[in-house]
Amino acid sequence: MRRSIRATKRRIRDDGWRLPDALWAEMEPLLPPRPKHPLGCHNPRVPDRAAMDAIFFVLRTGCQWNALRETKLCSSSSAHRRFQEWAKAGVFEAFWRKGLLAYDGLRGIDWSWLALDGAMGKAPLGGGKTGSNPTDRGKRGVKRSVLTDGRGVPLGAVVEGANRNDHKLMRQTLQAIPVKRPKPTRRQPQHLCLDKGFDYDEPRALAAEFGFTLHLRTRGEEVRARRHARAKARRWVVERTHSWLNRFRSILIRWTRKPANDLALLHLACGIITWRHALPG
């Protein structure tokens, strides 16, 4: 019994450069069928596992696709082509959704205390859904808005330009939850924690529309709360999740021009974080 547990831990351990075997076992069934060449005379197709390892390497390191030539994992053209193919098929979002269902079955999604917040990143090459970053001298940037459960597992995620206010992305983020959200009740309310950046009428109306018990401090209350903090901190989990996401360098600095590719990488990172909470070890 002990040997099997140790073996499981070894299999899901992340070496930092290749997708762990346990995560690949969950993703492989989600891949679309391999397309057939009309003439049946093309070069052998690169194995899906090799392409996925290359995609994971780009996600973790933030390197250019052409830099994959030096890794010997997979050719850059094959990896990028496979990434676009799988992103279009919704593989990475399905991987995240499957992880949420597994996490819910193992530990249960903590719907009782949710937190939502945005974080800005750089986008040197520009592209769709980018904008002037007011905190980076007006340079091109991107904003990701993330909703987490009480343990920090990502439940919803969207990307927009860095010039969009956090509260303007609240509806999109709540609607981006890939699993069914249970209806809040009086005995089982769903608390939603927001920071002072959401101190507007629109977030309050949205919280009432979605049935949340809102915890939103005004700007003055936020300062006083820091001096006299007594209640358990609930909102920090989403900030920690943004820190987890920043470890995936392709998300920290966006080098892709296509917003669909950026969102697919974000879905993959959210899926990996979720599966780490769903798998033992």
Side-chain angles (χ1 to χ4, degrees):
M1 182 66 180
R2 292 181 178 177
R3 291 182 179 179
S4 62
I5 294 177
R6 291 176 181 174
T8 302
K9 290 183 177 180
R10 284 196 297 269
R11 286 198 301 270
I12 68 174
R13 186 172 296 168
D14 182 3
D15 65 0
W17 309 113
R18 302 171 188 268
L19 192 72
D21 293 339
L23 298 187
W24 171 247
E26 301 295 343
M27 177 175 285
E28 188 176 17
L30 304 174
L31 302 181
R34 296 182 179 182
K36 296 182 179 180
H37 195 278
L39 302 178
C41 56
H42 64 298
N43 293 329
R45 180 181 170 91
V46 173
D48 289 337
R49 180 60 196 269
M52 188 62 242
D53 282 342
I55 294 170
F56 182 74
F57 184 87
V58 171
L59 175 68
R60 285 298 306 271
T61 65
C63 70
Q64 298 179 352
W65 290 96
N66 287 336
L68 289 172
R69 302 170 183 172
E70 304 300 324
T71 66
K72 310 301 182 182
L73 293 172
C74 177
S75 68
S76 58
S77 58
S78 296
H80 187 258
R81 183 169 55 250
R82 203 74 55 87
F83 169 72
Q84 301 246 58
E85 174 187 327
W86 292 342
K88 186 177 181 180
V91 170
F92 304 114
E93 185 176 11
F95 175 67
W96 177 26
R97 180 179 182 274
K98 186 179 179 182
L100 285 173
L101 294 175
Y103 165 64
D104 191 31
L106 178 67
R107 304 182 62 183
I109 296 176
D110 186 1
W111 295 101
S112 59
W113 286 94
L114 309 179
L116 189 152
D117 200 7
M120 287 183 287
K122 298 178 182 294
L125 301 182
K129 293 190 176 182
T130 62
S132 301
N133 189 339
T135 65
D136 192 23
R137 295 176 293 175
K139 296 181 180 180
R140 303 300 292 180
V142 64
K143 175 171 289 186
R144 65 172 182 268
S145 178
V146 175
L147 173 73
T148 67
D149 79 340
R151 303 185 188 95
V153 174
L155 298 179
V158 297
V159 293
E160 275 292 346
N163 56 333
R164 291 292 300 276
N165 291 333
D166 288 348
H167 73 277
K168 292 294 184 180
L169 302 179
M170 181 174 171
R171 179 182 291 276
Q172 293 177 244
T173 309
L174 295 175
Q175 292 176 339
I177 302 175
V179 296
K180 185 178 180 180
R181 172 178 162 245
K183 186 177 180 180
T185 63
R186 179 175 296 183
R187 291 188 175 182
Q188 294 181 328
Q190 296 180 12
H191 301 268
L192 179 61
C193 301
L194 304 175
D195 65 10
K196 62 182 181 181
F198 292 83
D199 186 15
Y200 298 92
D201 293 336
E202 184 179 353
R204 292 181 172 88
L206 282 174
E209 177 184 342
F210 282 83
F212 289 114
T213 302
L214 185 62
H215 298 264
L216 171 59
R217 298 184 185 275
T218 63
R219 290 168 176 80
E221 290 174 341
E222 185 82 4
V223 175
R224 291 193 296 271
R226 291 176 182 175
R227 296 177 181 175
H228 307 285
R230 294 182 180 178
K232 180 179 179 180
R234 300 284 186 178
R235 202 186 65 231
W236 67 273
V237 293
V238 67
E239 298 173 0
R240 182 183 61 180
T241 301
H242 279 297
S243 177
W244 289 342
L245 291 170
N246 285 339
R247 297 177 185 179
F248 299 93
R249 307 295 290 183
S250 284
I251 295 176
L252 178 62
I253 301 178
R254 171 179 160 180
W255 293 103
T256 176
R257 291 179 177 271
K258 296 182 179 179
N261 289 351
D262 184 37
L263 185 60
L265 289 170
L266 179 58
H267 286 162
L268 177 55
C270 288
I272 293 171
I273 292 173
T274 302
W275 276 108
R276 286 174 178 170
H277 285 77
L279 291 174

